[in-house]
Amino acid sequence: MIEELLRIFTLADLLDVTVILIVVLALNLMAGYAGIPNFGMALFVFIGAFSLAGIGTRVALLLTSIVDPGFIDRLSRAHLLIAKTYNGSFKDILLYGVAGDPMVNRVAAPEMEEIISQDLILSMILLVTVLGAAIILGALMGIIASFAAVRLKEDYLAIVLLAFSEMMVMVIFAQTDFLVGGPNGAYVVKPWPTVLEGAVKPITPPGISSDLMIALIVSLLVLLLTFVYAERIANSPMGRVLRAMRDDDLVIATFGRDVPLTRLKVMAVGAMIASIAGVLYATIRTPVVASTYDRFTWTFVPWAMMILGGMANNWGVVLGAITIYVGQRLIYYYTPSVFQAMVPILDVISRLAVPLILSSTALIIILLALRWRAKTGLVRRLATYTIIGLTGFMGSTLILAVSIHHIISNIVYVQALLPKIFLGMVIILVLYLRPQGIIPEKPARTLSRRELKEILAGRSR
Amino acid sequence: MVLPSPEFLVYSIAYGSVLALLCIGLTLTYMVTKVPNFAHATLAITGATVTLFLLDRIYYSLHPVRCHGCVVQYATLYLLAPILAFIIVGLVALAEYLLVLRPLARRGMGIIGLMIATLAFDMILYNVLSLTLYIVPAKNLSRLMDAPLKGFDVGVTLAGVNTSFSRLLLPLVAITLAVALHMFLTRTKFGVSLRASIENPDLARVLGINVDLAYMVSWFLAGGLAGASGALWAFMIESYKPETAYFIIVSIFAGSILGGLGSVYGALVGGFLIGLAETVGLVITQNLLQLLLNLLQQLLNMLGLTVTLTVTVTLTQYQRFFSLIIVIVVLLVAPQGLAGINFRGLLARGGLK
Amino acid sequence: MDQPILAVNSLNSGYGKFQVVFDVSFNVYRNEIFVIVGPNGSGKSTLLKSIFGLTTIYSGSISYMGKDVTKLPPHVKARMGIAYLPQTDNVFSELTVRENLMMATYTLKESEARDRVEEVLKIYPVLRNKLDYKAKSLSGGERQMLALAMTLVRRPSIIMLDEPTANLAPVVARDLLKKVSILRDEMGITVILVEQNARAALEMGDRALLMVSGRVAYEGPARSLLQDAELGRRYLGLR
């Protein structure tokens, strides 16, 4: 059992969970506490990936050619392709740091990394520039979004944020070659010095790359900081202001709080955190291809996790994220064997298709009649649910029975799609049955009567 | 040349028609449920999928692709696909309303929850569509998915303009459907009751109007329009894959917001305008930029500078970005969209009354 | 006296937990104009809404033509012949006058609907010239007339008007009130009228109810309330 679980969940999964947890906590700050329907989360995460792949590589090339002036020449001689692209001038470095040509980028990135990681100072410069870029660009995007948030109604805002994120990631970044390599993506230069690699070596399990280990450790640290920060915000006066603002911003405005400014701060911080998560994710998922940062994975899934766990509750959000991630992995992993196991039963069903169709049609007609004549609402409702359930079940069973062998031969696709379909259904069910989430929002922690008395007594003394 | 070719004009009018129909549907559902339906683009893709499956069925009888004797098959395709798609997608949209949105709205779900629910439905529908393509044992589906469907469209030469049947059909379909919708909404008692139910459901209920039925019909119609236009739009997509069609959601929202999200007629005009802007407008902008660049080059040459600006301006992949900019400008300048602009007032102010 | 068409018995009602109407009882008889007056916030409108079933009723009963209708939903009451004309939002402003009337006769057969629309257009000839105008382009008075017409086409036996003259110019208001007596005189409809303009309403009313703070302060002939200097001065601003 444990062995099997270990086969399903690897350290790479742990990194994925950590990164998405950071993203969900950031989203919870914006959407759960501040009430901004951020349907453009994917953009904020991608900004981090861009900082590493788009800006980091350029800085890396610059640094490399400073410490090793012959670097580009050497590279050009060794690889004819590169000669065409790099002329060695500063302008070319800026323009072609990641290059539209994936071949160039793929060759250049590891060589640059080798040179930079040897030098502690160089890799620190790279790390600081990348993180700085992620923080500044992320905050900038957050501020732009909050400007929109001040002016637009919730639904318009959601539309604009979603459209904005789709456009930036999918159109600008995915289709413009020189930004992050267009459809081919860009290989990154990881900003970890060799010293760090040596440090994590003793705790790295065999078969795991030290890059993954470093990314994991740093992500866990960032996650911890994010969580502590989010909890502090939640229980601080600012958290109370945010929540009150979410419910009714007029009241807060009349109490003299600057609503737009508070929102702007939260959006900037949230976007910044998501952006840092994007950097960490990109160090492992190289090359960075913009189309990986689609609205399903980085907007809808975080929203789903937040809603399942309970909006405006950090513990709940963490629980929701882990539940959904684990659930999706399990569905992905077990889909082939489940379908395989169903083959014999479905073969029987497909042979009995005609009588099955006839009998279930008859049953549905009877139920319809029952529903028609029913006096009480309960019977009607029961009949309705049974009809929907039966039709759905019989229909899907028959479709399955007819196409099972085709499914088995295409199982790779089915395996990838099924978790998403289930997730969509689960979210609709959660919204219906428990919209407040697994762990609902708690009222902000306030002082108890006893504590208040003590304070007052202390003051009067 | 600043102006695009007549072939391209026909194309953009057809594309504008698709968007107009999609925007009408989105606006209608927005007016009924007060929530932007993020699944609307996927509804159109569902319509395109209907065409794909029909093509798969009659693929062999359509071989060779441009056969002149296959009138019956073509008629079946061009007629059956939109009609079938209208019904199927209408039912899908109705299911979205009945199974997802109405129960949630009745439980008092707020707008953010409802929007998430439409996103969730979008994800389900989109992935179920992809799944169908893999699990339905159709003969040539995989071959069809790789080839651009426009290869199956019948070529037509009209007044010296090389175009295709679906591109000529689309504006006609759009006009017919829009006029039919207009007649339905203004000339029939049920259509008027639909408008009444949208405006003031409480009063409509007191008058004995079945508001629920009216809303259900609105959703069905919205889905149907998306399906019918999607079925013909299939011939305009580069290659059939759900994700190639994914981004049209931005254009749909752009057209609807331009139309004001409160009037079916605004949506019609808004959608069509966005369609033109994304195609003709884009090409004109691109050509103008190129012209400007060339002029600049000549100027530099005259000044004796040896800087070469050999840049070819291509904006085609940024068409949706164009509509995003339009959305932002509209929201800043006229948040009510076209419908909110007081044209009479403007004329009066201009002394043209 | 014969059986009342509408009888309200010690009614307690309000919105949610917020009680507005306290222990109100009165009878309305066939073919009379029953005027409800009282200062602002005395619960007049809430009383009408309670009768029509739009508020929470805690206790008491309402009977219509001898049948208990306390718990029936609004649309059933509407079908039984009770009409309620709310103060605002009483027409579809995006629809034309013709379409509004069409909606008012939604449940009727085509030919019958046409006859009835003709009938009300005789009472409100102004509307005939504006049939293809959107309701939002009408003046306040015309809009109230349209609302009244939409109520009348369904031939109610009792009609409850909630401040029909609010926000109207005095001349228009007087005109509209004059039409109210036509309802009774020519169509035989019993009218319950809630009115701010107490003098004009009491002059045309048969009997009146004075409400103060959700309770009945007076019930009886309209004339005597008009002449009651004490009540008139204290609650109605009459001299």
Side-chain angles (χ1 to χ4, degrees), chain A residues 141-286:
Chain A
M141 288 294 158
I143 288 169
I144 292 174
S146 84
F147 278 140
V150 175
R151 282 162 187 80
L152 299 177
K153 255 176 24 182
E154 281 161 328
D155 41 1
Y156 280 67
L157 179 60
I159 293 173
V160 167
L161 289 182
L162 182 116
F164 186 58
S165 139
E166 292 281 284
M167 286 309 96
M168 292 300 279
V169 179
M170 296 300 172
V171 177
I172 302 298
F173 289 107
Q175 303 200 359
T176 308
D177 283 349
F178 75 88
L179 286 171
V180 264
N184 298 309
Y187 287 84
V188 303
V189 180
K190 289 178 218 80
W192 315 130
T194 347
V195 187
L196 207 57
E197 274 172 40
V200 297
K201 191 122 270 172
I203 52 165
T204 309
I208 300 294
S209 79
S210 53
D211 289 333
L212 177 63
M213 207 58 205
I214 296 171
L216 186 60
I217 292 169
V218 177
S219 312
L220 283 170
L221 272 176
V222 174
L223 174 63
L224 193 71
L225 286 176
T226 310
F227 189 84
V228 171
Y229 176 77
E231 271 294 281
R232 281 198 61 129
I233 285 274
N235 291 318
S236 70
M238 188 177 165
R240 257 164 276 165
V241 168
L242 280 176
R243 272 183 273 187
M245 195 169 83
R246 176 192 65 196
D247 300 332
D248 188 349
D249 46 7
L250 213 65
V251 174
I252 289 305
T254 53
F255 277 114
R257 287 283 185 161
D258 188 346
V259 175
L261 186 72
T262 317
R263 256 191 198 150
L264 185 136
K265 277 187 210 155
V266 172
M267 282 304 279
V269 171
M272 223 157 73
I273 295 170
S275 177
I276 292 172
V279 174
L280 294 169
Y281 187 76
T283 58
I284 281 308
R285 295 300 144 98
T286 180

Side-chain angles (χ1 to χ4, degrees), chain C residues 84-218:
Chain C
Y84 164 67
L85 191 67
Q87 202 173 336
T88 51
D89 286 337
N90 45 23
V91 296
F92 299 109
S93 50
E94 290 294 329
L95 268 52
T96 64
V97 172
R98 190 193 301 280
E99 288 169 339
N100 265 297
L101 290 171
M102 192 202 260
M103 288 302 103
T105 54
Y106 191 75
T107 47
L108 301 178
K109 272 198 232 79
E110 189 94 11
S111 56
E112 202 182 352
R114 207 177 309 129
D115 292 348
R116 291 206 190 174
V117 168
E118 272 307 308
E119 196 179 292
V120 293
L121 285 180
K122 269 185 205 126
I123 307 174
Y124 301 107
V126 190
L127 294 177
R128 193 187 294 277
N129 306 324
K130 303 232 165 180
L131 274 179
D132 289 314
Y133 283 58
K134 280 197 176 168
K136 66 179 174 191
S137 69
L138 299 181
S139 71
E142 288 164 344
R143 205 183 294 204
Q144 282 301 348
M145 278 179 203
L146 176 60
L148 261 171
M150 285 170 71
T151 317
L152 291 181
V153 283
R154 287 177 297 139
R155 284 199 186 145
S157 42
I158 182 165
I159 184 168
M160 302 190 282
L161 304 175
D162 191 357
E163 301 196 13
T165 64
N167 308 322
L168 294 184
V171 188
V172 185
R174 207 175 311 135
D175 234 39
L176 200 86
L177 281 184
K178 238 178 257 162
K179 297 274 187 197
V180 170
S181 46
I182 297 178
L183 298 183
R184 192 254 321 257
D185 299 342
E186 290 180 11
M187 303 180 80
I189 300 171
T190 312
V191 178
I192 301 181
L193 175 66
V194 165
E195 195 40 69
Q196 276 288 323
N197 185 353
R199 181 176 292 278
L202 290 174
E203 270 168 7
M204 57 179 285
D206 298 316
R207 289 189 317 118
L209 184 78
L210 171 64
M211 279 190 78
V212 177
S213 314
R215 291 170 203 279
V216 177
Y218 172 90

Side-chain angles (χ1 to χ4, degrees), chain C residues 14-33:
Chain C
Y15 305 101
K17 282 183 184 157
F18 183 61
Q19 185 167 0
V20 180
V21 172
F22 298 87
D23 196 32
V24 169
S25 311
F26 63 91
N27 289 338
V28 180
Y29 296 95
R30 199 173 288 279
N31 254 338
E32 72 175 351
I33 296 180

Side-chain angles (χ1 to χ4, degrees), chain B residues 114-138:
Chain B
L114 290 178
M115 287 193 293
I116 281 291
T118 68
L119 261 185
F121 186 83
D122 183 37
M123 292 307 162
I124 296 174
L125 184 61
Y126 177 77
N127 288 302
V128 165
L129 271 187
S130 318
L131 197 65
T132 359
L133 295 176
Y134 292 118
I135 68 171
V136 172

Side-chain angles (χ1 to χ4, degrees), chain B residues 6 14 54 73 80 87 92 99 111 116 138 158 160 163 175 189 197 265 274 329 338 343:
Chain B
L54 279 179
Q73 284 89 337
L80 195 61
I87 296 166
V92 172
L99 298 179
I111 177 125
I116 281 291
L158 197 79
T163 181
I175 291 169
K189 199 165 146 185
S197 308
Y265 309 104
I274 287 286
V329 170
L338 288 176
F343 287 108

